[in-house]
Amino acid sequence: MDPIRRKILKAGAAATAMAAAPRVFTQQTGQGGALKFYEKGPVRIAYQEAGSGFPLLLIAGGGLNSRMAGLITSPFNPIEEFKGEYRCIFADLRNANAGQSSGPLEIDRPWDSHTDDHLGLLDHLGVDKFMVLGFCIGGPFIWNLLKRAPDRVVAAVPAQPVGFRPEMPNVLYEGSMTGWGPELVKRRTDITMEMVEKYLTRMYRTNPDFVFTVTRDFVRKCQTPVLILPDDVPAHPYAVAMECAMLAPKAEVSIYPWKEPKERIPLAVRQIRSFLRAHRPASA
């Protein structure tokens, strides 16, 4: 089988497994606290917390279907790994299918609307400075957080980050048009596929490049410590992850591959733990 096709099928199987995860995350894992909601105008974000200590925002993979349940189907469970040292905060992405967060489809500012939700939730919880660990789509979200709130993000870990792949320029757009949009339209009578198409075009096809949310020049000037865990499937280009690692002046990079064989995953987790400890404020 063609290696690219094998990777696409593997990614699809992972997305299917994530979608099949139970809707009620608390009952599934017992790792988060009670399900809570943060509301601002028409936006309603479902979130949970686990552990105590310096705040660590966790962003699940799964593209626009990113939700809390996705954290337990990640290569490692970050809640279980880090709740002993950090106040882990995690939420369903706005309008993720099978999630419990909802809000308008902001066609002209798709990335920023989600960053509004991340920062708004942290404000709601009284969190000023924080660390962030994000999988998949969490990569572009992390770079946007670094752009929008550079004085608040102490350190960041993009794991298997999403990026633009020139040889497959429509992979993210097409995946969301088939795997996210139709289900959203079924349950939201105020949203049409025409709106979804415009939203995804703005998100993934309007000046697509690099990590979508920031420029190479921004990464080159970014002074926030970043630990990058590269991947290499269609939606997670190795070349983009490594370019970020080379450009960012305070970047580190994990071993690669770090997910296979599975015996390597604990080594990657140890590296993340050491990185977070090294950059956690002394007073925390």
Side-chain angles (χ1 to χ4, degrees):
M1 183 184 293
D2 182 286
I4 293 294
R5 177 170 172 76
R6 184 183 296 116
K7 289 178 179 178
I8 292 174
L9 292 173
K10 185 176 180 181
T16 300
M18 187 179 298
R23 182 182 178 114
V24 184
F25 184 53
T26 308
Q27 294 178 2
Q28 165 74 12
T29 66
Q31 295 169 341
L35 182 67
K36 301 175 184 177
F37 290 91
Y38 150 68
E39 298 187 45
K40 184 176 182 180
V43 176
R44 188 171 191 257
I45 302 298
Y47 73 94
Q48 288 181 268
E49 297 183 75
S52 60
F54 192 78
L56 175 62
L57 176 65
L58 302 175
I59 303 174
L64 292 172
N65 283 323
S66 166
R67 55 199 182 93
M68 293 180 276
L71 292 169
I72 63 173
T73 59
S74 300
F76 61 89
N77 185 336
I79 307 169
E80 184 65 27
E81 293 291 348
F82 297 111
K83 67 180 182 180
E85 290 186 65
Y86 299 94
R87 178 189 179 184
C88 295
I89 300 164
F90 38 101
D92 289 342
L93 198 68
R94 184 197 303 195
N95 299 328
N97 292 316
Q100 298 186 64
S101 296
S102 61
L105 204 63
E106 297 189 38
I107 292 171
D108 293 330
R109 51 191 308 276
W111 292 108
D112 278 322
S113 63
H114 292 297
T115 301
D116 289 348
D117 297 342
H118 289 136
L119 293 175
L121 172 59
L122 293 168
D123 291 343
H124 170 72
L125 294 173
V127 171
D128 180 20
K129 296 186 183 297
F130 62 96
M131 294 176 172
V132 56
L133 163 60
F135 298 87
C136 181
I137 199 170
F141 287 146
I142 284 173
W143 287 113
N144 212 32
L145 284 166
L146 291 171
K147 180 174 70 175
R148 293 267 306 269
D151 296 332
R152 296 179 64 178
V153 184
V154 173
V157 183
Q160 53 192 62
V162 159
F164 180 67
R165 186 184 285 271
E167 67 273 25
M168 301 179 71
N170 293 315
V171 64
L172 294 165
Y173 170 84
E174 291 173 354
S176 295
M177 278 293 287
T178 59
W180 172 71
E183 290 301 315
L184 177 66
V185 170
K186 283 181 185 178
R187 62 187 180 86
R188 288 281 297 272
T189 58
D190 60 318
I191 296 175
T192 65
M193 279 306 296
E194 181 182 4
M195 294 167 64
V196 167
E197 195 279 332
K198 290 180 179 179
Y199 178 86
L200 294 175
T201 293
R202 180 72 176 184
M203 193 168 205
Y204 292 126
R205 302 177 89 180
T206 303
N207 301 318
D209 187 35
F210 197 43
V211 298
F212 295 103
T213 51
V214 299
T215 64
R216 288 172 175 82
D217 190 53
F218 174 85
V219 173
R220 193 177 288 112
K221 296 176 181 177
C222 180
Q223 293 299 312
T224 304
V226 177
L227 171 62
I228 298 169
L229 281 70
D231 195 13
D232 196 18
V233 299
H236 310 154
Y238 175 81
V240 172
M242 289 306 297
E243 188 176 4
C244 288
M246 296 298 290
L247 288 175
K250 294 186 178 179
E252 300 177 29
V253 66
S254 72
I255 58 169
Y256 178 82
W258 61 272
K259 298 189 297 181
E260 296 176 355
K262 293 189 181 298
E263 289 76 18
R264 291 190 176 193
I265 294 176
L267 178 59
V269 172
R270 288 200 300 273
Q271 187 174 3
I272 295 170
R273 182 171 288 112
S274 296
F275 173 81
L276 294 177
R277 285 174 177 171
H279 296 291
R280 182 172 59 197
S283 59

